[in-house]
Amino acid sequence: MATVTIGRLELARVLEDDTPIFDPGAMYPESTPDDFERERGWLMPRFFDEARWLLESCMQSYVFRSGDRAVLIDTCVGNDKPGRRRDYWTHAQWPFLENLAAAGYRPEDIDLVLITHLHVDHVGWNTRLVDGRWEPTFPNARYVFTAADLDSLKAKHAGGDGQYVNVFEDSVKPILDAGLAELVAVDHVVEDGIRFEPAPGHTPGQVNIRISSEGEEGLVTADVFHHPIQARHPGWNSRACEHQPTASSTRRAVFERAAERDTLLLPAHFEPCRLRRENGGFRFLFD
């Protein structure tokens, strides 16, 4: 189980799946094949599946203990979920809970579930299917997410967006109904050393999560960026960014601050890294 440390805290990556599924041109409409060819030296094969011409990526959570509380950040796609736009995600079966157990945590051990935003691949394990009903996976936890993103998801639900009708019904509404949700502002302080920071654009109420301990900092970056190629092209937005200009400006601001402060970045869809300025742009650095 891969781990990183921030001061006295040890965070484990909990993998759901790392199968390449994202077509680069579909993911980044502003890109061309030549953009990826120019970065071949560092991009392939670690971050790009050339044979299938797909971006390498993963679905993962982060889990750690802060004092006497176990904290899980984001909950991936989930098992048994109906009606996702990607067939690969519909009624999927992944060993997420087994991987969580390998990190040393049972579902009932989790005290806080912090959710960066309410997109399909960040809320799925909020619930699991038990005897035909969607039950909270982490029954002893408070699920903390922003009121702004809940409002956005409810609007998608009311508008009949098929995938997000299902996401609301199977992964969010059961948490609300169980009284486990804690709706907060985008600058919410979770506790000393853990706080939300607004990161709008991908969704209206998306947040990053800054974790500080003993003078060290880490930043869980939600979907401010999805792939290392965006360091070279920080203006590129994914097709899933709901407000494109805001997403781009948020990304640039996160990059600038991370490079200045040497912050450990904890991305949603690839491995932890740091960021450096390079040749007028940026470059992710990996161990």
Side-chain angles (χ1 to χ4, degrees), residues 88-105:
Y88 184 68
W89 289 353
T90 298
H91 300 299
Q93 296 295 313
W94 286 306
F96 178 83
L97 294 182
E98 291 84 348
N99 292 340
L100 182 67
Y105 298 85

Side-chain angles (χ1 to χ4, degrees), residues 1 3 10 24 31 42 73 83 86 95-96 106 108 129 135-136 163 168 187 190 195 199 207 212 222 234 237 286:
M1 182 61 59
T3 63
E10 183 176 78
S31 72
W42 66 269
I73 300 178
R86 293 184 179 278
F96 178 83
R106 302 168 302 168
E108 56 267 30
L129 195 60
E135 301 284 352
Q163 174 171 259
F168 179 77
D187 58 354
V190 178
R195 68 180 187 271
V207 294
S212 305
N237 290 316
F286 300 89

Side-chain angles (χ1 to χ4, degrees), residues 16-263:
E16 181 181 62
D17 182 63
D18 61 358
T19 303
I21 58 173
F22 294 115
D23 175 86
M27 186 67 164
Y28 299 115
E30 298 171 74
S31 72
T32 70
D34 285 346
D35 292 322
F36 294 91
E37 288 287 356
R38 280 193 291 271
E39 307 296 337
R40 172 182 291 275
W42 66 269
L43 190 63
M44 302 176 188
R46 186 174 184 180
F47 304 111
F48 197 98
D49 185 329
E50 184 180 11
R52 289 182 285 180
W53 202 254
L54 295 173
L55 301 169
E56 294 284 357
S57 66
C58 67
M59 305 297 158
Q60 65 187 352
S61 301
Y62 294 94
V63 66
F64 64 103
R65 186 166 292 281
S66 177
D68 60 356
R69 297 204 289 187
V71 182
L72 180 70
I73 300 178
D74 283 348
T75 65
C76 304
V77 177
N79 281 6
D80 302 302
K81 302 294 178 170
R84 276 34 180 176
R85 290 190 189 122
R86 293 184 179 278
D87 291 342
Y88 184 68
W89 289 353
T90 298
H91 300 299
Q93 296 295 313
W94 286 306
F96 178 83
L97 294 182
E98 291 84 348
N99 292 340
L100 182 67
Y105 298 85
R106 302 168 302 168
E108 56 267 30
D109 296 333
I110 302 300
D111 299 292
L112 287 174
V113 178
L114 307 181
I115 301 172
T116 61
H117 63 294
L118 300 180
H119 268 182
V120 57
D121 52 330
H122 293 258
V123 300
W125 280 102
N126 285 0
T127 61
R128 55 181 165 176
L129 195 60
V130 179
D131 296 329
R133 292 174 52 87
W134 294 108
E135 301 284 352
T137 304
F138 311 103
N140 300 320
R142 301 292 298 171
Y143 289 71
V144 185
F145 49 92
T146 68
D149 243 36
L150 180 60
D151 288 344
S152 176
L153 179 59
K154 285 182 173 178
K156 295 185 184 78
H157 181 272
D161 183 320
Q163 174 171 259
Y164 283 97
V165 168
N166 289 317
V167 168
F168 179 77
E169 294 292 339
D170 63 44
S171 298
V172 177
K173 187 175 183 292
I175 302 307
L176 299 170
D177 291 346
L180 299 181
E182 183 177 342
L183 303 180
V184 300
V186 294
D187 58 354
H188 174 67
V189 177
V190 178
E191 61 181 54
D192 186 31
I194 305 174
R195 68 180 187 271
F196 285 6
E197 295 183 353
H202 188 68
T203 69
Q206 178 177 255
V207 294
N208 291 334
I209 302 173
R210 189 168 297 275
I211 301 169
S212 305
S213 175
E214 297 181 340
E216 298 181 3
E217 282 191 340
L219 188 70
V220 179
T221 57
D223 279 354
V224 171
F225 49 88
H226 291 78
H227 189 270
I229 192 67
Q230 285 174 279
R232 307 303 302 156
H233 299 273
W236 285 2
N237 290 316
S238 81
R239 64 179 181 176
C241 291
E242 296 180 23
H243 192 271
Q244 300 273 322
T246 304
S248 181
S249 62
T250 292
R251 186 178 312 107
R252 290 180 182 277
V254 168
F255 282 1
E256 290 286 349
R257 188 179 185 193
E260 178 181 341
R261 297 175 62 146
D262 192 33
T263 301

Side-chain angles (χ1 to χ4, degrees), residues 255-276:
F255 282 1
E256 290 286 349
R257 188 179 185 193
E260 178 181 341
R261 297 175 62 146
D262 192 33
T263 301
L264 175 66
L265 299 177
L266 303 167
H269 299 296
F270 57 95
E271 62 201 83
C273 55
R274 296 182 188 271
L275 193 70
R276 296 286 185 273

